[in-house]
C-alpha cells in the first residue's frame, strides 16, 4: 500500500539506488525504491569484486559515513587483498572478491529490513514536474506516485542498447529491458543536456572447462582485513584467483577481425572508458604490446562459473570462443554468458550542484552512471550523498558536501560538477591533491563525525571511532617521549643495514627512517612489550606509524587544505548574476552561470575562470 506522498523516491536498485534509498530512510524520510526487477537489487553486472585503487578508499568512506557497501562486501567476500603494499600508504587500496549472488541477496535483505523504506517493482517512464520542480513519478503500469524529491539512479538503462557482434538488443542489462521516456522528457522540455556512453563486460565461463594448472595463482592476504570499521567479519575461507596473458596469436586474431567489432565498425556511438578498455580497444591503443593480462575470478562459493576480468568485448559469441581457445588453459573453454558492450544515455554532470541536485529542476537528484561515471564504488558514493541531501532538503536542513580534503567522495563529486566528463569517469588516487590525508586507514577519523551528526552512525559506532583515535594518539605519544639505547636497538639496525646510534635516541626518530618498515617494528622487543601491554592492535600500530613516518607530507597537505578553506568561506549567492558583469571574460560568464558555484573555491576550480575573474567576483560580492 503506497503512501499518499513520499519524502523521497529513488529510481533504480543498483549500487547508487541502494545506498541512496538506505541513507534517505535511515535518516528519517519516508522513502520508496522503484526498480524494474526486485531480484536484481545491488547486482554486480560486471566483475564480482569491490574496491581497488582509490575505489577501496571510497568504500571505506561510505562505511565511515554510515553506508552499507563495506559491510555487505565483507559479508560476501571470498578473497581480500590490500593492493599496492609495496608503495606508500597513500596508495594502499583494499579489494575484495565477492560471491555475486550473496552480495545481491544481502543488499535486498538489508533494504527490506529498513523501517521507512518501501520497495516496488515497476519501471519509471517519466517524472511529474511543475514549474521546474519535481513532484513525483509516472510508471509503466500507469501509476502516479507523488513525492517531495526524486533521485534518478538509472545506470545503463536509459535507452540502453546491447551489442554482441552484429546483434543489437535493446536493454539496460542482459535479459533486462531498457528505459525510454526520461531522457526525452528532461531534454525536450527542460533543456538538460545528455550524451551517450559505452561500457562493457567480459564473458563468464564454466571453471570445469579450463586448465587452472596453466595459470599463475593470486592468493588473498594471509591476514585478510575488512572494509567496515564497525562490523568486523573474519574471512576464514578464501578462494584463489588466477592470472594469465594473451599470446601474440590472440593479438593477430583480434586485429584481423576488428572489422567485426561494433566498436570499430561505428555501430556503437557511445564513448567507452579510457582506463578499462575492451580487449579490441587494447589492441589499437597499445599496438606495440603483443600480450595483455587477464584475470580469472571466481563468481562465488557455490558455483563453478568464473569471470574473465580484462577481456571485456563486443565480438560475437563465436569469435569470443575462437579467441579464448587460443589462450593456454582455455583450449576447451565453455562460455556460460558471452561478453557484451552496452551504450546508454547519461546527463552532463556539470548541470548539477555539489549536492547532486539538478541546477534546473528543483528537488531532482542524479547519482551513478547517469552522471557519467563507471564502477560500483563511484555509483555507491554518489548514491549515499544524494540520499543524504535529498532527505535533508525535505527537512529543510543544510546539505552535506564532502570537501576534496575530506574524502575521495568529495573529489569525485567536485570533479563531476565543476569539470564535467565526456568519457566514463573512474576514480584514481592521482585525481586527489590530498592523497596522504585520504588514506584508507583513516576514513573513519575523517568522516564518521559527519555520519554521526546526520543520524547514520550510531552512538556505539562513534565510540569505536573515538576509542581508536585515543589509542592512536597514546601510541604516538609513547613513540615521541621514549628513548631506545644503543644496546636495545643497534643489533636490529645492523640487520636492517641502517646507521647505528651512539647515544640514546627517541623511538620516533628511529621509526622515521625510510628503511624501517611498519612490519619491522614488530621485531623490536622493547617496542612490542609496550604495544602488548597497552593492547594496541595492528590497526592502531599501523596508523600511528604512518602518522610518524609521513608527518611532513601530512602537515603540508593540511596547510594546503587550509589555504583552500579561506576561499570556501567566501560564499557566492545562488542568484548571483554573472552575465551583468562585463569585466568578467565571456567564457567565465558562461561557465559560472552554468555551474552556479557556491563559493569562491568552487569558482576557482572551473576551467576557464582566471584569477582576475575571481578578483572581479570578490569585489562584486563585497559591494
Amino acid at each position: 500500500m503506497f503512501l499518499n506522498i513520499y519524502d523521497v523516491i529513488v529510481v533504480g536498485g543498483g549500487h547508487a539506488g541502494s545506498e541512496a534509498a538506505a541513507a534517505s530512510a535511515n535518516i528519517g524520510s519516508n522513502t520508496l525504491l522503484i526498480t524494474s526487477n526486485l531480484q536484481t537489487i545491488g547486482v554486480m553486472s560486471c566483475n564480482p569484486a569491490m574496491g581497488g585503487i582509490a575505489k577501496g578508499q571510497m568504500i571505506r568512506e561510505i562505511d565511515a559515513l554510515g553506508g552499507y557497501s563495506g559491510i555487505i562486501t565483507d559479508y560476501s567476500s571470498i578473497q581480500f587483498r590490500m593492493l599496492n603494499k609495496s608503495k606508500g600508504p597513500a596508495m594502499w587500496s583494499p579489494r575484495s572478491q565477492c560471491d555475486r549472488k550473496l552480495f545481491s541477496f544481502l543488499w535486498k535483505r538489508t533494504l527490506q529490513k529498513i523501517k521507512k523504506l518501501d520497495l516496488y517493482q515497476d519501471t519509471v517512464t517519466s517524472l511529474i514536474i511543475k514549474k521546474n520542480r519535481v513532484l513525483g513519478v509516472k510508471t509503466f503500469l500507469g501509476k502516479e506516485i507523488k513525492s517531495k524529491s526524486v533521485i534518478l539512479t538509472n545506470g545503463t538503462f536509459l535507452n540502453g542498447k546491447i551489442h554482441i557482434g552484429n546483434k543489437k538488443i535493446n536493454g539496460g542489462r542482459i535479459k533486462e529491458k531498457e528505459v525510454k521516456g526520461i531522457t526525452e522528457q528532461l531534454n525536450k522540455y527542460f533543456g538538460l543536456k545528455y550524451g551517450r556512453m559505452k561500457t562493457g563486460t567480459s564473458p563468464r565461463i564454466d571453471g570445469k572447462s579450463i586448465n587452472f594448472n596453466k595459470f599463475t595463482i593470486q592468493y588473498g592476504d594471509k591476514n585478510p582485513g575488512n572494509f567496515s570499521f564497525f562490523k568486523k567479519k573474519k574471512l576464514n575461507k578464501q578462494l584463489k584467483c588466477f592470472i594469465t596473458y594473451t599470446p601474440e596469436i590472440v593479438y593477430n586474431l583480434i586485429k584481423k577481425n576488428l572489422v567485426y567489432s561494433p566498436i570499430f565498425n561505428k555501430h556503437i556511438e557511445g564513448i567507452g572508458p579510457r582506463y578499462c578498455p575492451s580487449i579490441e580497444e587494447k589492441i589499437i591503443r597499445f599496438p606495440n604490446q603483443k600480450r595483455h593480462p587477464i584475470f580469472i575470478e571466481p563468481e562465488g562459493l557455490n558455483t563453478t562459473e568464473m569471470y574473465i576480468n580484462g577481456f571485456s568485448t563486443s565480438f560475437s559469441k563465436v569469435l569470443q570462443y575462437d579467441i579464448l581457445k587460443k589462450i593456454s588453459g582455455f583450449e576447451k573453454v565453455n562460455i556460460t554468458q558471452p561478453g557484451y558492450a552496452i551504450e546508454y544515455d547519461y546527463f552532463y554532470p556539470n548541470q548539477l550542484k555539489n549536492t547532486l541536485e539538478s541546477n534546473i529542476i528543483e528537488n531532482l537528484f542524479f547519482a551513478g552512471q547517469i552522471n557519467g561515471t563507471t564502477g560500483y564504488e563511484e555509483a555507491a558514493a554518489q548514491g549515499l550523498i544524494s540520499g543524504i541531501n535529498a532527505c535533508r532538503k525535505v527537512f529543510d536542513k543544510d546539505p552535506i558536501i564532502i570537501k576534496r580534503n575530506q574524502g575521495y567522495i568529495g573529489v569525485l563529486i567536485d570533479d563531476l560538477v565543476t569539470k564535467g566528463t565526456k568519457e566514463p569517469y573512474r576514480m584514481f588516487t592521482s585525481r586527489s591533491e590530498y592523497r596522504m590525508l585520504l588514506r584508507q586507514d583513516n576514513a573513519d577519523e575523517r568522516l564518521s563525525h559527519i555520519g554521526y551528526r546526520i543520524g547514520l552512525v550510531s552512538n556505539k559506532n562513534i565510540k569505536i571511532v573515538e576509542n581508536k583515535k585515543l589509542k592512536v594518539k597514546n601510541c604516538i605519544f609513547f613513540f615521541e617521549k621514549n628513548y631506545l639505547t644503543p644496546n636495545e636497538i643497534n643489533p636490529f639496525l645492523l640487520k636492517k643495514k641502517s646507521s647505528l646510534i651512539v647515544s640514546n635516541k627517541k623511538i620516533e626518530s628511529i621509526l622515521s627512517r625510510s628503511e624501517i618498515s611498519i612490519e619491522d617494528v614488530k621485531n623490536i622487543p622493547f617496542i612490542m612489550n609496550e604495544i602488548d601491554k597497552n593492547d594496541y592492535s595492528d590497526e592502531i600500530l599501523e596508523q600511528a606509524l604512518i602518522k610518524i613516518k609521513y608527518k611532513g607530507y601530512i602537515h603540508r597537505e593540511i596547510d594546503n587544505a587550509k589555504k583552500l578553506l579561506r576561499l570556501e568561506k567566501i560564499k557566492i549567492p545562488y542568484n548571483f548574476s554573472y552575465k551583468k558583469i562585463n569585466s568578467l571574460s565571456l567564457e567565465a560568464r558562461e561557465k559560472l552561470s552554468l555551474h552556479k558555484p557556491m563559493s569562491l573555491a568552487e569558482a576557482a576550480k572551473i576551467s576557464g575562470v582566471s584569477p582576475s575573474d575571481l578578483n572581479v567576483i570578490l569585489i562584486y560580492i563585497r559591494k
Side-chain angles (χ1 to χ4, degrees):
M1 190 73 177
F2 291 127
L3 298 178
N4 290 329
I5 182 169
Y6 283 91
D7 294 318
V8 178
I9 289 178
V10 179
V11 181
H15 299 265
S18 297
E19 285 287 6
S24 169
N26 281 329
I27 293 174
S29 288
N30 290 316
T31 304
L32 177 67
L33 171 62
I34 305 179
T35 180
S36 299
N37 187 351
L38 288 175
Q39 304 311 311
T40 57
I41 282 179
V43 72
M44 293 174 138
S45 306
C46 197
N47 63 314
M50 292 290 277
I53 309 302
K55 292 168 173 277
Q57 282 87 325
M58 280 196 293
I59 295 298
R60 298 213 93 192
E61 290 175 0
I62 290 169
D63 184 74
L65 284 165
Y68 287 105
S69 290
I71 295 170
I72 288 171
T73 297
D74 287 342
Y75 275 77
S76 61
S77 179
I78 55 178
Q79 191 196 78
F80 180 94
R81 284 194 299 148
M82 186 67 74
L83 307 182
N84 282 340
K85 282 293 282 187
S86 61
K87 300 179 181 179
M91 300 293 288
W92 297 353
S93 304
R95 183 183 189 271
S96 267
Q97 201 69 33
C98 296
D99 185 307
R100 186 190 297 276
K101 287 187 177 179
L102 180 57
F103 186 93
S104 182
F105 168 78
L106 290 175
W107 252 123
K108 183 178 179 182
R109 189 176 71 175
T110 297
L111 295 176
Q112 286 175 327
K113 289 181 177 180
I114 298 175
K115 288 183 180 179
K116 292 208 167 192
L117 177 60
D118 292 336
L119 306 181
Y120 175 57
Q121 182 168 297
D122 199 347
T123 300
V124 172
T125 53
S126 64
L127 306 174
I128 303 169
I129 303 171
K130 290 184 180 178
K131 295 181 180 179
N132 283 52
R133 184 186 183 96
V134 71
L135 300 175
V137 301
K138 295 180 182 179
T139 75
F140 177 78
L141 295 178
K143 291 188 177 292
E144 290 193 6
I145 309 171
K146 294 180 180 180
S147 66
K148 298 173 184 176
S149 62
V150 173
I151 305 172
L152 294 179
T153 70
N154 299 78
T156 59
F157 280 78
L158 294 183
N159 293 315
K161 187 176 290 184
I162 293 168
H163 296 263
I164 308 175
N166 60 5
K167 288 185 179 179
K168 296 181 183 178
I169 307 164
N170 291 334
R173 190 159 45 218
I174 200 76
K175 296 180 181 178
E176 293 187 57
K177 290 183 178 181
E178 82 283 22
V179 174
K180 291 182 176 294
I182 293 175
T183 300
E184 293 77 6
Q185 178 191 19
L186 295 180
N187 175 252
K188 182 176 180 180
Y189 296 105
F190 301 96
L192 269 69
K193 297 178 182 178
Y194 74 98
R196 293 283 279 177
M197 280 189 177
K198 188 246 356 160
T199 189
T201 188
S202 300
R204 276 78 157 171
I205 62 170
D206 187 346
K208 300 194 301 292
S209 68
I210 56 179
N211 186 351
F212 291 99
N213 294 324
K214 295 187 177 182
F215 308 145
T216 301
I217 298 175
Q218 285 189 313
Y219 293 101
D221 291 349
K222 288 184 179 179
N223 296 305
N226 290 94
F227 275 97
S228 180
F229 292 100
F230 311 117
K231 203 170 182 180
K232 304 291 185 182
K233 172 71 165 63
K234 187 173 176 61
L235 180 56
N236 294 314
K237 181 181 179 181
Q238 297 194 74
L239 299 190
K240 300 171 187 173
C241 294
F242 304 85
I243 182 172
T244 190
Y245 293 86
T246 57
E248 190 169 347
I249 189 173
V250 164
Y251 172 91
N252 294 329
L253 183 59
I254 292 174
K255 192 171 183 181
K256 178 183 174 182
N257 286 281
L258 282 176
V259 66
Y260 301 112
S261 168
I263 296 168
F264 292 97
N265 61 22
K266 306 301 181 184
H267 286 179
I268 292 179
E269 303 169 8
I271 300 169
R274 178 191 301 266
Y275 301 105
C276 191
S278 67
I279 192 70
E280 303 99 289
E281 290 170 302
K282 289 177 184 177
I283 300 303
I284 295 301
R285 202 176 291 178
F286 311 105
N288 297 323
Q289 195 168 327
K290 304 298 182 183
R291 70 174 200 158
H292 296 275
I294 59 172
F295 304 88
I296 302 93
E297 302 172 342
E299 293 263 303
L301 290 169
N302 301 305
T303 179
T304 61
E305 271 194 306
M306 310 290 288
Y307 183 83
I308 311 303
N309 199 351
F311 198 82
S312 171
T313 180
S314 59
F315 277 134
S316 68
K317 187 175 180 179
V318 172
L319 200 44
Q320 290 182 40
Y321 263 118
D322 289 344
I323 295 167
L324 281 174
K325 286 182 176 181
K326 299 293 189 297
I327 302 171
S328 180
F330 287 90
E331 293 86 355
K332 297 180 180 180
V333 68
N334 179 29
I335 296 176
T336 57
Q337 180 182 299
Y340 60 88
I342 181 168
E343 57 178 333
Y344 54 93
D345 295 340
Y346 80 103
F347 287 93
Y348 296 163
N350 53 10
Q351 300 172 108
L352 302 174
K353 304 172 188 176
N354 274 68
T355 59
L356 295 180
E357 183 186 13
S358 169
N359 271 329
I360 298 169
I361 302 171
E362 191 174 359
N363 293 339
L364 177 62
F365 294 76
F366 293 73
Q369 283 179 281
I370 196 172
N371 287 338
T373 60
T374 180
Y376 308 141
E377 302 82 1
E378 289 86 347
Q382 294 170 71
L384 179 67
I385 299 302
S386 66
I388 290 169
N389 284 326
C391 176
R392 288 182 70 81
K393 185 159 189 191
V394 166
F395 294 147
D396 198 26
K397 293 184 177 180
D398 291 338
I400 296 299
I401 297 171
I402 307 300
K403 298 183 177 65
R404 293 184 73 93
N405 65 305
Q406 288 181 305
Y408 278 99
I409 294 175
V411 175
L412 166 70
I413 294 174
D414 189 61
D415 279 354
L416 290 173
V417 302
T418 59
K419 301 174 184 176
T421 186
K422 292 185 178 179
E423 61 184 45
Y425 180 104
R426 181 179 182 177
M427 181 53 71
F428 290 101
T429 51
S430 58
R431 293 193 188 273
S432 173
E433 59 272 48
Y434 303 110
R435 290 188 289 278
M436 275 307 298
L437 296 181
L438 309 186
R439 306 183 312 275
Q440 58 83 31
D441 64 280
N442 69 347
D444 53 343
E445 183 182 324
R446 291 185 274 118
L447 297 172
S448 288
H449 65 285
I450 297 175
Y452 177 68
R453 176 164 58 87
I454 62 178
L456 288 181
V457 173
S458 67
N459 286 324
K460 177 185 174 183
N461 287 345
I462 202 66
K463 285 177 183 177
I464 291 172
V465 176
E466 293 303 325
N467 185 53
K468 176 186 167 186
K469 285 167 65 176
L470 180 60
K471 283 196 170 187
V472 170
K473 183 180 178 181
N474 290 341
C475 190
I476 292 172
F477 182 81
F478 167 74
F479 292 143
E480 289 175 338
K481 299 302 178 185
N482 287 279
Y483 291 79
L484 288 168
T485 67
N487 287 338
E488 286 172 327
I489 195 62
N490 277 345
F492 171 77
L493 296 178
L494 192 62
K495 288 180 184 178
K496 294 298 296 182
K497 297 180 180 179
S498 187
S499 300
L500 303 182
I501 63 173
V502 294
S503 60
N504 295 354
K505 291 284 184 183
K506 282 187 177 181
I507 298 175
E508 177 192 26
S509 67
I510 300 295
L511 299 182
S512 297
R513 295 185 182 188
S514 60
E515 64 271 22
I516 307 298
S517 72
I518 290 171
E519 287 300 314
D520 288 332
V521 175
K522 297 176 183 178
N523 297 316
I524 304 174
F526 175 77
I527 295 177
M528 284 310 299
N529 288 339
E530 184 67 23
I531 288 167
D532 290 340
K533 187 169 70 176
N534 287 282
D535 195 28
Y536 292 143
S537 65
D538 286 352
E539 184 182 32
I540 302 297
L541 178 61
E542 180 180 271
Q543 194 168 119
L545 291 172
I546 288 171
K547 290 187 174 186
I548 285 172
K549 290 179 75 68
Y550 299 92
K551 185 190 296 184
Y553 294 100
I554 292 170
H555 285 171
R556 191 181 310 152
E557 289 189 1
I558 290 172
D559 288 341
N560 289 339
K562 286 178 179 177
K563 291 175 185 176
L564 184 64
L565 187 61
R566 295 187 196 113
L567 291 180
E568 287 181 349
K569 287 181 178 178
I570 303 172
K571 301 298 181 184
I572 302 176
Y574 181 73
N575 59 354
F576 194 80
S577 182
Y578 301 99
K579 292 181 179 179
K580 293 180 180 178
I581 306 174
N582 295 326
S583 48
L584 286 174
S585 68
L586 181 61
E587 182 182 7
R589 273 180 273 166
E590 289 177 353
K591 290 188 173 180
L592 288 163
S593 298
L594 174 65
H595 294 300
K596 297 187 185 329
M598 299 172 71
S599 69
L600 216 56
E602 284 184 27
K605 287 177 283 192
I606 298 172
S607 174
V609 177
S610 68
S612 61
D613 291 324
L614 296 175
N615 286 330
V616 171
I617 296 169
L618 183 59
I619 291 167
Y620 273 81
I621 289 173
R622 285 174 176 170
K623 282 184 178 179

